[in-house]
Amino acid sequence: MTPQLHEAGATSRELVLRFSPPADRPRLQALFDIEHEIATSLRPDLDHNVAHTRLEWWSEEFLRLRQASPRHPSTRALAEASLTAGLSLPDLRGLAEATRIDLATVAFLTQAELDDYLALWADSVFASLGQPASDRARALGRVIREIELLADWPQHAHRGRLYRALGDPPEAHEPWVRHPLGELESRHLRARLTELAAEVRTLAGACSVDELPTRAPALLWATLAHDTAVRLRSRLPDFSITRFEPLSRTIRAWRAAVTLSRGRLPSALR
């Protein structure tokens, strides 16, 4: 049976959009619209060949975006918002490639393979939040993306997408597809979430005060990811985080945004 885990409140992207500085919102809205369009290629009811055709078109569109000649309304909006903000046009080709990997339900044998996959999203979507994107910002994006994927583990696992290193030869998939997870699998994910929460704090906490104005959306997203990692590890194996606390999550996002607007890191990242 497919796990039915309905979002009761705003997603991290909606909260980042809602509480980021107004000048950043047109660019963020266009970026998230594009990401949503790409994600529809993974709909289970979509023909596999159609999905690949969509991804091929988007790959070409991302190349046109880099050449300042996009066609889709969202990529045109992103180009306009980026140029208005004095930023270079983003390179989102990694987003299409990451989605191809999702569509192929590739198994990751090592953490290095998984990190390379996560980097495709981090170097495209997350790097576009604030430019120029540093190596530290890209590393932060990889960690945030892994936390997001673990938070939606049941949905991904049901479709054969296991976002963890399975070893070589790989571990059996079946124990990782169960819902709820067994105690051994839950323990492994708790340990990984602990590591990821610490990495978020280390990477985000290294931002200087001078960087805060240009990194506000990324740091707000980092705050939400850290909160998810901390709370999810205590909720396993039921994966209830973000689905039954919509008000408290929104309040925490608002408080983080206020703190960033005052030139300080949110307490979760210090």
Side-chain angles (χ1 to χ4, degrees):
M1 179 180 295
T2 305
Q4 298 298 323
L5 300 178
H6 299 292
E7 291 287 352
T11 65
S12 292
R13 285 157 184 74
E14 289 168 334
L15 292 173
V16 169
L17 180 62
R18 184 183 305 173
F19 294 117
S20 287
D24 291 323
R25 291 175 194 167
R27 190 175 78 260
L28 295 175
Q29 181 69 71
L31 181 65
F32 295 157
D33 286 346
I34 292 168
E35 190 184 24
H36 177 74
E37 283 287 337
I38 291 288
T40 60
S41 298
L42 299 175
R43 283 192 351 237
D45 61 333
L46 189 65
D47 180 87
H48 200 74
N49 291 328
V50 173
H52 277 289
T53 300
R54 282 176 48 84
L55 287 176
E56 186 61 32
W57 188 92
W58 274 105
S59 294
E60 295 171 357
E61 176 70 351
F62 292 153
L63 182 58
R64 289 191 290 267
L65 173 62
R66 292 292 292 168
Q67 297 169 344
S69 58
R71 298 178 185 175
H72 193 277
S74 295
T75 43
R76 293 177 67 178
L78 179 59
E80 181 180 351
S82 298
L83 294 175
T84 299
L87 301 174
S88 60
L89 296 178
D91 186 353
L92 298 180
R93 288 173 292 179
L95 175 59
E97 183 59 30
T99 309
R100 283 196 189 90
I101 293 172
D102 292 332
L103 195 59
T105 60
V106 172
F108 303 100
L109 303 184
T110 66
Q111 186 63 41
E113 288 183 356
L114 178 57
D115 286 342
D116 287 343
Y117 160 79
L118 298 169
L120 293 170
W121 181 88
D123 295 350
S124 54
V125 176
F126 195 75
S128 301
L129 298 183
Q131 298 175 9
S134 64
D135 290 342
R136 187 179 70 243
R138 289 186 171 91
L140 179 60
R142 292 195 297 272
V143 175
I144 289 173
R145 185 58 175 161
E146 187 172 352
I147 291 171
E148 287 187 343
L149 294 170
L150 294 183
D152 285 327
W153 183 276
Q155 293 94 321
H156 294 307
H158 179 76
R159 297 185 173 97
R161 303 181 189 118
L162 303 180
Y163 297 104
R164 74 178 299 274
L166 294 175
D168 190 7
E171 301 174 30
H173 284 212
E174 197 276 334
W176 293 99
V177 177
R178 293 177 189 148
H179 184 73
L181 286 177
E183 179 53 38
L184 177 61
E185 290 75 27
S186 294
R187 189 161 63 245
H188 283 311
L189 290 192
R190 286 191 198 100
R192 183 58 182 159
L193 288 163
T194 298
E195 295 171 356
L196 293 170
E199 288 184 46
V200 169
R201 293 190 65 178
T202 298
L203 292 166
C207 285
S208 66
V209 174
D210 294 338
E211 291 180 286
L212 295 186
T214 59
R215 304 293 184 191
L219 292 171
L220 178 54
W221 206 334
T223 304
L224 292 168
H226 179 272
D227 181 70
T228 295
V230 169
R231 291 173 183 275
L232 177 59
R233 69 187 178 192
S234 66
R235 300 293 184 84
L236 290 175
D238 68 359
F239 292 90
S240 64
I241 184 64
T242 80
R243 294 166 177 88
F244 305 115
E245 298 181 332
L247 178 59
S248 60
R249 244 174 81 83
T250 301
I251 291 174
R252 286 192 291 272
W254 171 75
R255 286 174 176 166
V258 169
T259 302
L260 286 166
S261 72
R262 293 172 177 170
R264 301 198 310 272
L265 276 174
S267 58
L269 302 181
R270 293 185 216 142

PDB file of all heavy atoms in Angstrom, residues 66 88 90-91 115 118-128 130-146 199 203 215 218:
ATOM      1  N   ARG A  66      20.757  29.828 -20.225  1.00  0.00           N
ATOM      2  CA  ARG A  66      22.151  30.272 -20.102  1.00  0.00           C
ATOM      3  C   ARG A  66      22.529  31.206 -21.241  1.00  0.00           C
ATOM      4  O   ARG A  66      23.403  32.063 -21.101  1.00  0.00           O
ATOM      5  CB  ARG A  66      23.092  29.058 -20.092  1.00  0.00           C
ATOM      6  CG  ARG A  66      22.974  28.189 -18.863  1.00  0.00           C
ATOM      7  CD  ARG A  66      23.474  28.884 -17.634  1.00  0.00           C
ATOM      8  NE  ARG A  66      24.913  29.095 -17.665  1.00  0.00           N
ATOM      9  CZ  ARG A  66      25.576  29.884 -16.825  1.00  0.00           C
ATOM     10  NH1 ARG A  66      24.932  30.560 -15.904  1.00  0.00           N
ATOM     11  NH2 ARG A  66      26.879  30.001 -16.911  1.00  0.00           N
ATOM     12  N   SER A  88      23.992  36.830 -12.433  1.00  0.00           N
ATOM     13  CA  SER A  88      24.162  36.091 -13.675  1.00  0.00           C
ATOM     14  C   SER A  88      23.013  35.104 -13.839  1.00  0.00           C
ATOM     15  O   SER A  88      22.358  34.713 -12.867  1.00  0.00           O
ATOM     16  CB  SER A  88      25.501  35.366 -13.682  1.00  0.00           C
ATOM     17  OG  SER A  88      25.577  34.448 -12.602  1.00  0.00           O
ATOM     18  N   PRO A  90      21.167  31.736 -14.023  1.00  0.00           N
ATOM     19  CA  PRO A  90      21.505  30.469 -13.359  1.00  0.00           C
ATOM     20  C   PRO A  90      21.661  29.319 -14.340  1.00  0.00           C
ATOM     21  O   PRO A  90      21.077  29.316 -15.426  1.00  0.00           O
ATOM     22  CB  PRO A  90      20.332  30.238 -12.410  1.00  0.00           C
ATOM     23  CG  PRO A  90      19.202  31.000 -13.011  1.00  0.00           C
ATOM     24  CD  PRO A  90      19.798  32.186 -13.700  1.00  0.00           C
ATOM     25  N   ASP A  91      22.436  28.345 -13.931  1.00  0.00           N
ATOM     26  CA  ASP A  91      22.641  27.112 -14.701  1.00  0.00           C
ATOM     27  C   ASP A  91      21.861  26.002 -14.007  1.00  0.00           C
ATOM     28  O   ASP A  91      22.282  25.505 -12.960  1.00  0.00           O
ATOM     29  CB  ASP A  91      24.128  26.777 -14.770  1.00  0.00           C
ATOM     30  CG  ASP A  91      24.409  25.578 -15.673  1.00  0.00           C
ATOM     31  OD1 ASP A  91      23.438  24.932 -16.125  1.00  0.00           O
ATOM     32  OD2 ASP A  91      25.590  25.283 -15.921  1.00  0.00           O
ATOM     33  N   ASP A 115      26.459  11.699  -2.985  1.00  0.00           N
ATOM     34  CA  ASP A 115      26.867  13.109  -2.924  1.00  0.00           C
ATOM     35  C   ASP A 115      26.914  13.737  -4.314  1.00  0.00           C
ATOM     36  O   ASP A 115      26.534  14.907  -4.493  1.00  0.00           O
ATOM     37  CB  ASP A 115      28.227  13.247  -2.243  1.00  0.00           C
ATOM     38  CG  ASP A 115      28.166  13.035  -0.743  1.00  0.00           C
ATOM     39  OD1 ASP A 115      27.054  13.117  -0.178  1.00  0.00           O
ATOM     40  OD2 ASP A 115      29.222  12.786  -0.127  1.00  0.00           O
ATOM     41  N   LEU A 118      23.350  14.479  -5.192  1.00  0.00           N
ATOM     42  CA  LEU A 118      22.855  15.630  -4.434  1.00  0.00           C
ATOM     43  C   LEU A 118      23.435  16.935  -4.958  1.00  0.00           C
ATOM     44  O   LEU A 118      22.769  17.980  -4.942  1.00  0.00           O
ATOM     45  CB  LEU A 118      23.197  15.469  -2.954  1.00  0.00           C
ATOM     46  CG  LEU A 118      22.591  14.258  -2.240  1.00  0.00           C
ATOM     47  CD1 LEU A 118      23.222  14.072  -0.865  1.00  0.00           C
ATOM     48  CD2 LEU A 118      21.081  14.396  -2.122  1.00  0.00           C
ATOM     49  N   ALA A 119      24.671  16.878  -5.444  1.00  0.00           N
ATOM     50  CA  ALA A 119      25.338  18.073  -5.962  1.00  0.00           C
ATOM     51  C   ALA A 119      24.640  18.611  -7.202  1.00  0.00           C
ATOM     52  O   ALA A 119      24.694  19.820  -7.475  1.00  0.00           O
ATOM     53  CB  ALA A 119      26.800  17.777  -6.270  1.00  0.00           C
ATOM     54  N   LEU A 120      23.990  17.742  -7.967  1.00  0.00           N
ATOM     55  CA  LEU A 120      23.280  18.206  -9.155  1.00  0.00           C
ATOM     56  C   LEU A 120      22.193  19.201  -8.777  1.00  0.00           C
ATOM     57  O   LEU A 120      21.988  20.217  -9.456  1.00  0.00           O
ATOM     58  CB  LEU A 120      22.676  17.019  -9.906  1.00  0.00           C
ATOM     59  CG  LEU A 120      23.671  16.053 -10.548  1.00  0.00           C
ATOM     60  CD1 LEU A 120      22.940  14.801 -11.046  1.00  0.00           C
ATOM     61  CD2 LEU A 120      24.429  16.726 -11.681  1.00  0.00           C
ATOM     62  N   TRP A 121      21.474  18.926  -7.699  1.00  0.00           N
ATOM     63  CA  TRP A 121      20.446  19.850  -7.210  1.00  0.00           C
ATOM     64  C   TRP A 121      21.086  21.061  -6.530  1.00  0.00           C
ATOM     65  O   TRP A 121      20.700  22.206  -6.774  1.00  0.00           O
ATOM     66  CB  TRP A 121      19.524  19.123  -6.237  1.00  0.00           C
ATOM     67  CG  TRP A 121      18.417  19.980  -5.698  1.00  0.00           C
ATOM     68  CD1 TRP A 121      17.179  20.165  -6.259  1.00  0.00           C
ATOM     69  CD2 TRP A 121      18.432  20.777  -4.498  1.00  0.00           C
ATOM     70  NE1 TRP A 121      16.431  21.023  -5.485  1.00  0.00           N
ATOM     71  CE2 TRP A 121      17.171  21.414  -4.413  1.00  0.00           C
ATOM     72  CE3 TRP A 121      19.379  21.016  -3.507  1.00  0.00           C
ATOM     73  CZ2 TRP A 121      16.839  22.261  -3.357  1.00  0.00           C
ATOM     74  CZ3 TRP A 121      19.055  21.857  -2.461  1.00  0.00           C
ATOM     75  CH2 TRP A 121      17.807  22.473  -2.384  1.00  0.00           C
ATOM     76  N   ALA A 122      22.074  20.807  -5.697  1.00  0.00           N
ATOM     77  CA  ALA A 122      22.695  21.890  -4.941  1.00  0.00           C
ATOM     78  C   ALA A 122      23.369  22.911  -5.856  1.00  0.00           C
ATOM     79  O   ALA A 122      23.290  24.122  -5.622  1.00  0.00           O
ATOM     80  CB  ALA A 122      23.716  21.327  -3.951  1.00  0.00           C
ATOM     81  N   ASP A 123      24.034  22.433  -6.912  1.00  0.00           N
ATOM     82  CA  ASP A 123      24.765  23.317  -7.806  1.00  0.00           C
ATOM     83  C   ASP A 123      23.861  24.023  -8.807  1.00  0.00           C
ATOM     84  O   ASP A 123      24.325  24.895  -9.550  1.00  0.00           O
ATOM     85  CB  ASP A 123      25.850  22.543  -8.563  1.00  0.00           C
ATOM     86  CG  ASP A 123      26.935  22.016  -7.642  1.00  0.00           C
ATOM     87  OD1 ASP A 123      26.954  22.400  -6.464  1.00  0.00           O
ATOM     88  OD2 ASP A 123      27.756  21.204  -8.100  1.00  0.00           O
ATOM     89  N   SER A 124      22.597  23.629  -8.846  1.00  0.00           N
ATOM     90  CA  SER A 124      21.665  24.293  -9.752  1.00  0.00           C
ATOM     91  C   SER A 124      20.629  25.091  -8.955  1.00  0.00           C
ATOM     92  O   SER A 124      20.702  26.328  -8.906  1.00  0.00           O
ATOM     93  CB  SER A 124      20.986  23.271 -10.676  1.00  0.00           C
ATOM     94  OG  SER A 124      20.378  22.225  -9.928  1.00  0.00           O
ATOM     95  N   VAL A 125      19.722  24.419  -8.279  1.00  0.00           N
ATOM     96  CA  VAL A 125      18.654  25.114  -7.565  1.00  0.00           C
ATOM     97  C   VAL A 125      19.198  25.906  -6.376  1.00  0.00           C
ATOM     98  O   VAL A 125      18.986  27.119  -6.271  1.00  0.00           O
ATOM     99  CB  VAL A 125      17.577  24.112  -7.089  1.00  0.00           C
ATOM    100  CG1 VAL A 125      16.519  24.836  -6.255  1.00  0.00           C
ATOM    101  CG2 VAL A 125      16.940  23.424  -8.278  1.00  0.00           C
ATOM    102  N   PHE A 126      19.902  25.248  -5.459  1.00  0.00           N
ATOM    103  CA  PHE A 126      20.334  25.928  -4.241  1.00  0.00           C
ATOM    104  C   PHE A 126      21.363  27.022  -4.546  1.00  0.00           C
ATOM    105  O   PHE A 126      21.341  28.086  -3.918  1.00  0.00           O
ATOM    106  CB  PHE A 126      20.908  24.926  -3.239  1.00  0.00           C
ATOM    107  CG  PHE A 126      21.035  25.482  -1.846  1.00  0.00           C
ATOM    108  CD1 PHE A 126      19.912  25.637  -1.050  1.00  0.00           C
ATOM    109  CD2 PHE A 126      22.262  25.856  -1.332  1.00  0.00           C
ATOM    110  CE1 PHE A 126      20.008  26.158   0.236  1.00  0.00           C
ATOM    111  CE2 PHE A 126      22.374  26.377  -0.053  1.00  0.00           C
ATOM    112  CZ  PHE A 126      21.244  26.530   0.735  1.00  0.00           C
ATOM    113  N   ALA A 127      22.243  26.756  -5.506  1.00  0.00           N
ATOM    114  CA  ALA A 127      23.245  27.768  -5.857  1.00  0.00           C
ATOM    115  C   ALA A 127      22.603  29.010  -6.450  1.00  0.00           C
ATOM    116  O   ALA A 127      23.214  30.089  -6.441  1.00  0.00           O
ATOM    117  CB  ALA A 127      24.255  27.178  -6.835  1.00  0.00           C
ATOM    118  N   SER A 128      21.375  28.890  -6.946  1.00  0.00           N
ATOM    119  CA  SER A 128      20.699  30.034  -7.557  1.00  0.00           C
ATOM    120  C   SER A 128      20.034  30.940  -6.530  1.00  0.00           C
ATOM    121  O   SER A 128      19.533  32.011  -6.880  1.00  0.00           O
ATOM    122  CB  SER A 128      19.643  29.546  -8.552  1.00  0.00           C
ATOM    123  OG  SER A 128      20.231  28.763  -9.573  1.00  0.00           O
ATOM    124  N   GLY A 130      21.474  32.571  -4.061  1.00  0.00           N
ATOM    125  CA  GLY A 130      22.311  33.739  -3.825  1.00  0.00           C
ATOM    126  C   GLY A 130      23.638  33.564  -4.524  1.00  0.00           C
ATOM    127  O   GLY A 130      24.250  32.508  -4.449  1.00  0.00           O
ATOM    128  N   GLN A 131      24.063  34.558  -5.239  1.00  0.00           N
ATOM    129  CA  GLN A 131      25.291  34.450  -6.022  1.00  0.00           C
ATOM    130  C   GLN A 131      26.271  35.528  -5.594  1.00  0.00           C
ATOM    131  O   GLN A 131      25.867  36.608  -5.147  1.00  0.00           O
ATOM    132  CB  GLN A 131      24.968  34.575  -7.517  1.00  0.00           C
ATOM    133  CG  GLN A 131      24.064  33.476  -8.029  1.00  0.00           C
ATOM    134  CD  GLN A 131      23.673  33.702  -9.489  1.00  0.00           C
ATOM    135  OE1 GLN A 131      24.191  34.571 -10.159  1.00  0.00           O
ATOM    136  NE2 GLN A 131      22.746  32.917  -9.976  1.00  0.00           N
ATOM    137  N   PRO A 132      27.565  35.287  -5.757  1.00  0.00           N
ATOM    138  CA  PRO A 132      28.124  34.033  -6.280  1.00  0.00           C
ATOM    139  C   PRO A 132      28.044  32.911  -5.245  1.00  0.00           C
ATOM    140  O   PRO A 132      28.161  33.159  -4.055  1.00  0.00           O
ATOM    141  CB  PRO A 132      29.584  34.400  -6.571  1.00  0.00           C
ATOM    142  CG  PRO A 132      29.890  35.495  -5.598  1.00  0.00           C
ATOM    143  CD  PRO A 132      28.615  36.287  -5.441  1.00  0.00           C
ATOM    144  N   ALA A 133      27.814  31.706  -5.725  1.00  0.00           N
ATOM    145  CA  ALA A 133      27.685  30.547  -4.843  1.00  0.00           C
ATOM    146  C   ALA A 133      29.078  30.023  -4.492  1.00  0.00           C
ATOM    147  O   ALA A 133      29.872  29.723  -5.373  1.00  0.00           O
ATOM    148  CB  ALA A 133      26.865  29.453  -5.506  1.00  0.00           C
ATOM    149  N   SER A 134      29.365  29.918  -3.220  1.00  0.00           N
ATOM    150  CA  SER A 134      30.662  29.425  -2.765  1.00  0.00           C
ATOM    151  C   SER A 134      30.626  27.913  -2.644  1.00  0.00           C
ATOM    152  O   SER A 134      29.567  27.279  -2.691  1.00  0.00           O
ATOM    153  CB  SER A 134      30.999  30.042  -1.408  1.00  0.00           C
ATOM    154  OG  SER A 134      30.059  29.608  -0.431  1.00  0.00           O
ATOM    155  N   ASP A 135      31.807  27.315  -2.476  1.00  0.00           N
ATOM    156  CA  ASP A 135      31.876  25.864  -2.256  1.00  0.00           C
ATOM    157  C   ASP A 135      31.125  25.488  -0.986  1.00  0.00           C
ATOM    158  O   ASP A 135      30.481  24.434  -0.921  1.00  0.00           O
ATOM    159  CB  ASP A 135      33.332  25.415  -2.155  1.00  0.00           C
ATOM    160  CG  ASP A 135      34.064  25.497  -3.496  1.00  0.00           C
ATOM    161  OD1 ASP A 135      33.381  25.568  -4.539  1.00  0.00           O
ATOM    162  OD2 ASP A 135      35.307  25.514  -3.492  1.00  0.00           O
ATOM    163  N   ARG A 136      31.189  26.368   0.023  1.00  0.00           N
ATOM    164  CA  ARG A 136      30.489  26.083   1.271  1.00  0.00           C
ATOM    165  C   ARG A 136      28.973  26.094   1.057  1.00  0.00           C
ATOM    166  O   ARG A 136      28.247  25.258   1.599  1.00  0.00           O
ATOM    167  CB  ARG A 136      30.867  27.107   2.337  1.00  0.00           C
ATOM    168  CG  ARG A 136      30.297  26.774   3.722  1.00  0.00           C
ATOM    169  CD  ARG A 136      30.711  27.806   4.751  1.00  0.00           C
ATOM    170  NE  ARG A 136      30.054  29.081   4.540  1.00  0.00           N
ATOM    171  CZ  ARG A 136      30.659  30.222   4.239  1.00  0.00           C
ATOM    172  NH1 ARG A 136      31.974  30.254   4.100  1.00  0.00           N
ATOM    173  NH2 ARG A 136      29.982  31.340   4.070  1.00  0.00           N
ATOM    174  N   ALA A 137      28.491  27.034   0.241  1.00  0.00           N
ATOM    175  CA  ALA A 137      27.054  27.101  -0.042  1.00  0.00           C
ATOM    176  C   ALA A 137      26.601  25.862  -0.794  1.00  0.00           C
ATOM    177  O   ALA A 137      25.521  25.318  -0.527  1.00  0.00           O
ATOM    178  CB  ALA A 137      26.742  28.355  -0.846  1.00  0.00           C
ATOM    179  N   ARG A 138      27.414  25.389  -1.719  1.00  0.00           N
ATOM    180  CA  ARG A 138      27.048  24.179  -2.458  1.00  0.00           C
ATOM    181  C   ARG A 138      27.025  22.963  -1.529  1.00  0.00           C
ATOM    182  O   ARG A 138      26.148  22.099  -1.639  1.00  0.00           O
ATOM    183  CB  ARG A 138      28.026  23.956  -3.612  1.00  0.00           C
ATOM    184  CG  ARG A 138      27.879  24.968  -4.746  1.00  0.00           C
ATOM    185  CD  ARG A 138      28.775  24.587  -5.922  1.00  0.00           C
ATOM    186  NE  ARG A 138      28.497  25.409  -7.082  1.00  0.00           N
ATOM    187  CZ  ARG A 138      29.108  26.553  -7.361  1.00  0.00           C
ATOM    188  NH1 ARG A 138      30.054  27.015  -6.543  1.00  0.00           N
ATOM    189  NH2 ARG A 138      28.795  27.244  -8.439  1.00  0.00           N
ATOM    190  N   ALA A 139      27.987  22.887  -0.624  1.00  0.00           N
ATOM    191  CA  ALA A 139      28.002  21.783   0.341  1.00  0.00           C
ATOM    192  C   ALA A 139      26.766  21.838   1.234  1.00  0.00           C
ATOM    193  O   ALA A 139      26.158  20.802   1.540  1.00  0.00           O
ATOM    194  CB  ALA A 139      29.279  21.838   1.183  1.00  0.00           C
ATOM    195  N   LEU A 140      26.375  23.046   1.629  1.00  0.00           N
ATOM    196  CA  LEU A 140      25.166  23.205   2.433  1.00  0.00           C
ATOM    197  C   LEU A 140      23.945  22.736   1.656  1.00  0.00           C
ATOM    198  O   LEU A 140      23.053  22.074   2.208  1.00  0.00           O
ATOM    199  CB  LEU A 140      25.014  24.673   2.844  1.00  0.00           C
ATOM    200  CG  LEU A 140      23.785  25.026   3.684  1.00  0.00           C
ATOM    201  CD1 LEU A 140      23.767  24.249   4.994  1.00  0.00           C
ATOM    202  CD2 LEU A 140      23.753  26.540   3.955  1.00  0.00           C
ATOM    203  N   GLY A 141      23.897  23.046   0.360  1.00  0.00           N
ATOM    204  CA  GLY A 141      22.787  22.598  -0.460  1.00  0.00           C
ATOM    205  C   GLY A 141      22.689  21.091  -0.523  1.00  0.00           C
ATOM    206  O   GLY A 141      21.584  20.519  -0.484  1.00  0.00           O
ATOM    207  N   ARG A 142      23.828  20.410  -0.608  1.00  0.00           N
ATOM    208  CA  ARG A 142      23.808  18.941  -0.639  1.00  0.00           C
ATOM    209  C   ARG A 142      23.215  18.380   0.643  1.00  0.00           C
ATOM    210  O   ARG A 142      22.425  17.427   0.617  1.00  0.00           O
ATOM    211  CB  ARG A 142      25.224  18.392  -0.856  1.00  0.00           C
ATOM    212  CG  ARG A 142      25.803  18.689  -2.228  1.00  0.00           C
ATOM    213  CD  ARG A 142      27.021  17.834  -2.523  1.00  0.00           C
ATOM    214  NE  ARG A 142      28.128  18.072  -1.615  1.00  0.00           N
ATOM    215  CZ  ARG A 142      29.062  18.991  -1.796  1.00  0.00           C
ATOM    216  NH1 ARG A 142      29.024  19.794  -2.854  1.00  0.00           N
ATOM    217  NH2 ARG A 142      30.056  19.122  -0.937  1.00  0.00           N
ATOM    218  N   VAL A 143      23.591  18.957   1.760  1.00  0.00           N
ATOM    219  CA  VAL A 143      23.094  18.470   3.050  1.00  0.00           C
ATOM    220  C   VAL A 143      21.589  18.722   3.172  1.00  0.00           C
ATOM    221  O   VAL A 143      20.826  17.842   3.609  1.00  0.00           O
ATOM    222  CB  VAL A 143      23.854  19.152   4.200  1.00  0.00           C
ATOM    223  CG1 VAL A 143      23.260  18.746   5.546  1.00  0.00           C
ATOM    224  CG2 VAL A 143      25.336  18.787   4.156  1.00  0.00           C
ATOM    225  N   ILE A 144      21.162  19.920   2.792  1.00  0.00           N
ATOM    226  CA  ILE A 144      19.740  20.249   2.865  1.00  0.00           C
ATOM    227  C   ILE A 144      18.921  19.299   1.997  1.00  0.00           C
ATOM    228  O   ILE A 144      17.858  18.808   2.399  1.00  0.00           O
ATOM    229  CB  ILE A 144      19.511  21.711   2.442  1.00  0.00           C
ATOM    230  CG1 ILE A 144      20.042  22.651   3.528  1.00  0.00           C
ATOM    231  CG2 ILE A 144      18.027  21.989   2.168  1.00  0.00           C
ATOM    232  CD1 ILE A 144      20.018  24.113   3.138  1.00  0.00           C
ATOM    233  N   ARG A 145      19.410  19.036   0.793  1.00  0.00           N
ATOM    234  CA  ARG A 145      18.677  18.148  -0.106  1.00  0.00           C
ATOM    235  C   ARG A 145      18.577  16.737   0.458  1.00  0.00           C
ATOM    236  O   ARG A 145      17.523  16.091   0.363  1.00  0.00           O
ATOM    237  CB  ARG A 145      19.364  18.108  -1.477  1.00  0.00           C
ATOM    238  CG  ARG A 145      18.608  17.298  -2.518  1.00  0.00           C
ATOM    239  CD  ARG A 145      17.210  17.825  -2.721  1.00  0.00           C
ATOM    240  NE  ARG A 145      16.521  17.128  -3.798  1.00  0.00           N
ATOM    241  CZ  ARG A 145      15.205  17.124  -3.944  1.00  0.00           C
ATOM    242  NH1 ARG A 145      14.444  17.771  -3.071  1.00  0.00           N
ATOM    243  NH2 ARG A 145      14.646  16.487  -4.958  1.00  0.00           N
ATOM    244  N   GLU A 146      19.634  16.247   1.071  1.00  0.00           N
ATOM    245  CA  GLU A 146      19.580  14.900   1.648  1.00  0.00           C
ATOM    246  C   GLU A 146      18.561  14.846   2.778  1.00  0.00           C
ATOM    247  O   GLU A 146      17.812  13.869   2.899  1.00  0.00           O
ATOM    248  CB  GLU A 146      20.957  14.464   2.137  1.00  0.00           C
ATOM    249  CG  GLU A 146      20.983  13.008   2.582  1.00  0.00           C
ATOM    250  CD  GLU A 146      22.370  12.478   2.889  1.00  0.00           C
ATOM    251  OE1 GLU A 146      23.370  13.186   2.615  1.00  0.00           O
ATOM    252  OE2 GLU A 146      22.465  11.349   3.409  1.00  0.00           O
ATOM    253  N   GLU A 199      26.151  18.992  10.294  1.00  0.00           N
ATOM    254  CA  GLU A 199      26.765  19.587   9.104  1.00  0.00           C
ATOM    255  C   GLU A 199      26.079  20.895   8.728  1.00  0.00           C
ATOM    256  O   GLU A 199      26.740  21.858   8.311  1.00  0.00           O
ATOM    257  CB  GLU A 199      26.717  18.607   7.939  1.00  0.00           C
ATOM    258  CG  GLU A 199      27.674  17.432   8.077  1.00  0.00           C
ATOM    259  CD  GLU A 199      27.652  16.542   6.840  1.00  0.00           C
ATOM    260  OE1 GLU A 199      27.694  17.086   5.715  1.00  0.00           O
ATOM    261  OE2 GLU A 199      27.579  15.314   6.994  1.00  0.00           O
ATOM    262  N   LEU A 203      28.223  24.367   8.442  1.00  0.00           N
ATOM    263  CA  LEU A 203      28.321  25.077   7.168  1.00  0.00           C
ATOM    264  C   LEU A 203      27.627  26.434   7.217  1.00  0.00           C
ATOM    265  O   LEU A 203      28.175  27.445   6.766  1.00  0.00           O
ATOM    266  CB  LEU A 203      27.737  24.219   6.050  1.00  0.00           C
ATOM    267  CG  LEU A 203      28.516  22.950   5.710  1.00  0.00           C
ATOM    268  CD1 LEU A 203      27.679  22.013   4.848  1.00  0.00           C
ATOM    269  CD2 LEU A 203      29.824  23.302   5.002  1.00  0.00           C
ATOM    270  N   ARG A 215      22.562  36.030   1.714  1.00  0.00           N
ATOM    271  CA  ARG A 215      22.346  34.598   1.944  1.00  0.00           C
ATOM    272  C   ARG A 215      21.052  34.315   2.707  1.00  0.00           C
ATOM    273  O   ARG A 215      20.824  33.187   3.125  1.00  0.00           O
ATOM    274  CB  ARG A 215      23.513  34.015   2.747  1.00  0.00           C
ATOM    275  CG  ARG A 215      24.891  34.207   2.152  1.00  0.00           C
ATOM    276  CD  ARG A 215      25.066  33.435   0.877  1.00  0.00           C
ATOM    277  NE  ARG A 215      26.426  33.540   0.362  1.00  0.00           N
ATOM    278  CZ  ARG A 215      26.805  33.139  -0.843  1.00  0.00           C
ATOM    279  NH1 ARG A 215      25.912  32.598  -1.651  1.00  0.00           N
ATOM    280  NH2 ARG A 215      28.047  33.270  -1.245  1.00  0.00           N
ATOM    281  N   ALA A 218      18.890  31.247   1.584  1.00  0.00           N
ATOM    282  CA  ALA A 218      19.612  29.987   1.807  1.00  0.00           C
ATOM    283  C   ALA A 218      19.687  29.659   3.287  1.00  0.00           C
ATOM    284  O   ALA A 218      19.524  28.496   3.689  1.00  0.00           O
ATOM    285  CB  ALA A 218      21.014  30.081   1.208  1.00  0.00           C
TER     286      ALA A 218
END
